[in-house]
Amino acid sequence: MSDANDPWLIVGLGNPGPEYAANRHNVGFMVADLLAERIGGKFKRAPKAQAQVLEGRIGPPGPLSRRVVVAKPMSYMNLSGGPVSALRDFYKVPLDHVVAVHDELDIDYGTLRLKLGGGDNGHNGLKSMTKSMGPEYHRIRFGIGRPPGRMQVADFVLKDFSSTERKELGFLVDRAADSVECLLAEGLERAQSAYNS
């Protein structure tokens, strides 16, 4: 069983490379970048894993401060499990201290849902993580909504947010980063009641 001194591994899911940077599928990277900014450090290449990481602390000084590793796997989305599993081993992170931040099709744009465990709902990043480690990690699901008309899901998630969506995106990414901090400091139930909409 994990205890308060165990580190947390916050994984923003996305695809590496500038051509994917603003895609809906990369909202996990956006949240990870904002958390890194708040911690006040720069990502560096991870030891023994295909990922970029930043080590630091999240939360107010004192007993609510948590040791964290913020990570962006540098494999493609559908291979995220390998790097995440390697990071978990290297930093000795219990599975219930892993948090995946990812886009979610079945939730309206901008809606957040936090949960522990569960299925992958067709999300290739989660599918890969669950295959590597089992399902009992936290998820912060960032709603992107369903594709319009007959657009294929793969095309939709690999498109940039629309200009209308981008007006709110900064605020929503900020809120998702807040929900990570709340989860670590106050636990899942408090974070769910504050952020699940």
Side-chain angles (χ1 to χ4, degrees):
M1 195 58 203
S2 55
D3 74 31
N5 297 317
D6 285 323
W8 286 78
L9 176 59
I10 314 300
V11 182
L13 290 177
N15 285 308
E19 68 274 33
Y20 298 107
N23 288 180
R24 291 183 176 92
H25 222 18
N26 270 43
V27 75
F29 273 19
M30 296 172 197
V31 175
D33 286 338
L34 180 57
L35 286 168
E37 211 175 284
R38 289 181 180 185
I39 291 167
K42 292 222 181 313
F43 282 100
K44 61 181 197 303
R45 263 183 75 168
K48 300 190 178 356
Q50 193 182 355
Q52 289 187 347
V53 292
L54 167 72
E55 296 175 57
R57 296 193 83 85
I58 279 182
L64 292 181
S65 172
R66 300 286 179 256
R67 195 155 64 92
V68 296
V69 179
V70 180
K72 299 192 293 186
M74 289 288 118
S75 58
Y76 284 93
M77 179 71 88
N78 58 346
L79 300 171
S80 303
V84 176
S85 199
L87 290 170
R88 243 194 93 208
D89 291 346
F90 183 79
Y91 290 104
K92 301 181 172 40
V93 179
L95 187 53
D96 67 350
H97 275 211
V98 175
V99 182
V101 184
H102 63 92
D103 58 306
E104 178 65 64
L105 285 160
D106 286 335
I107 305 176
D108 290 341
Y109 174 66
T111 301
L112 289 180
R113 297 270 165 78
L114 285 74
K115 68 175 192 169
L116 174 64
D120 56 53
N121 210 15
H123 192 288
N124 289 332
L126 296 183
K127 200 175 286 183
S128 178
M129 282 180 62
T130 297
K131 192 175 169 197
S132 292
M133 311 183 300
E136 290 304 306
Y137 53 90
H138 288 88
R139 297 100 192 278
I140 293 182
R141 304 155 72 203
F142 186 111
I144 58 169
R146 301 291 307 178
R150 297 183 173 192
M151 186 189 284
Q152 293 295 311
V153 164
D155 295 333
F156 179 69
V157 298
L158 294 176
K159 277 209 171 4
D160 290 359
F161 285 100
S162 71
S163 55
T164 309
E165 288 169 334
R166 280 200 298 272
K167 289 186 180 120
E168 279 188 289
L169 186 60
F171 165 76
L172 296 169
V173 167
D174 200 59
R175 194 164 177 271
D178 289 347
S179 79
V180 173
E181 296 189 0
C182 182
L183 169 66
L184 270 54
E186 301 184 51
L188 181 60
E189 280 182 32
R190 286 293 295 274
Q192 284 174 323
S193 65
Y195 291 96
N196 278 15
S197 36

